Amino acid sequence: MRTRREVIGVMGSGTEEHRAWVEPLARWIAMRGFHLLTGAGGGVMGAAAEAFVAVEGRAGLSLGIVPGAVEDGTWRPKPGYPHASVELPILTHLPLSGEQGTEPMSRNHLNVLTARALVALPGGAGTVSEAVLALRYGRPLILHGPREAFHAFPAELERTESLERVCAFLEAAVR
């Protein structure tokens, strides 16, 4: 019998919310009893966390991997982090993101390795780096949103506009 609740990562833009894509997905994750993991910021991350925590009676938590840095002996989060809907912020000393998202000092490694399966919505260089890391670490990841939004992502990743396909992918990944 499985006692550990699985973690589903939702990655995407830190500025664009893509609510039409992310809200139904986050609600499904909550209703299935999974934990939600994001990068703890705004945009897709914040919209996912908001939709997730709005589900009444859910069993999972909204987790967020918070980028931060130690300056003059004091830890500080990246400005704007963590989003208010992150229930369990996981604080890191890892400041790098965006184009530096695959570097050792990026929290993206934790985002990818902590989640049992991942969904990437449209995003920039940081989201692309998470997709690259998912391939590097053998983590299941599917791209969800308009196909044209994923031209910069690795070609071998599955792209879909179908929430039903994403849900089937996640169910298979956590078995």
Side-chain angles (χ1 to χ4, degrees):
M1 180 171 107
R2 180 169 245 150
T3 58
R4 182 173 46 208
R5 192 169 307 283
E6 297 291 358
V7 176
I8 304 296
V10 174
M11 309 297 134
S13 173
T15 56
E16 301 290 324
E17 293 180 332
H18 299 287
R19 286 190 178 272
W21 299 98
V22 76
E23 286 179 346
L25 170 63
R27 285 191 297 267
W28 180 87
I29 292 168
M31 290 185 289
R32 288 287 296 123
F34 300 123
H35 292 304
L36 171 74
L37 175 86
T38 69
V44 163
M45 300 174 279
E50 287 172 7
F52 181 87
V53 300
V55 173
E56 301 253 345
R58 67 186 157 78
L61 291 173
S62 169
L63 314 171
I65 309 292
V66 181
V70 177
E71 299 166 1
D72 300 322
T74 302
W75 178 84
R76 289 185 173 76
K78 184 175 178 178
Y81 288 74
H83 187 276
S85 293
V86 171
E87 297 170 306
L88 180 57
I90 300 164
L91 310 180
T92 76
H93 64 292
L94 305 169
L96 300 182
S97 61
E99 303 238 341
Q100 298 173 307
T102 59
E103 296 293 322
M105 289 298 289
S106 169
R107 80 181 188 300
N108 291 354
H109 297 270
L110 298 177
N111 290 346
V112 170
L113 290 169
T114 301
R116 179 81 160 89
L118 300 117
V119 181
L121 284 87
T127 310
V128 171
S129 70
E130 287 164 328
V132 168
L133 290 172
L135 289 171
R136 180 186 301 173
Y137 295 130
R139 300 309 250 188
L141 179 139
I142 190 167
L143 305 176
H144 180 48
R147 290 186 181 273
E148 62 272 10
F150 298 111
H151 67 275
F153 287 73
E156 60 267 42
L157 292 171
E158 181 180 349
R159 291 144 165 82
T160 185
E161 295 183 14
S162 166
L163 178 61
E164 291 76 23
R165 174 61 195 130
V166 171
C167 296
F169 177 90
L170 293 172
E171 289 284 0
V174 299
R175 281 194 195 131

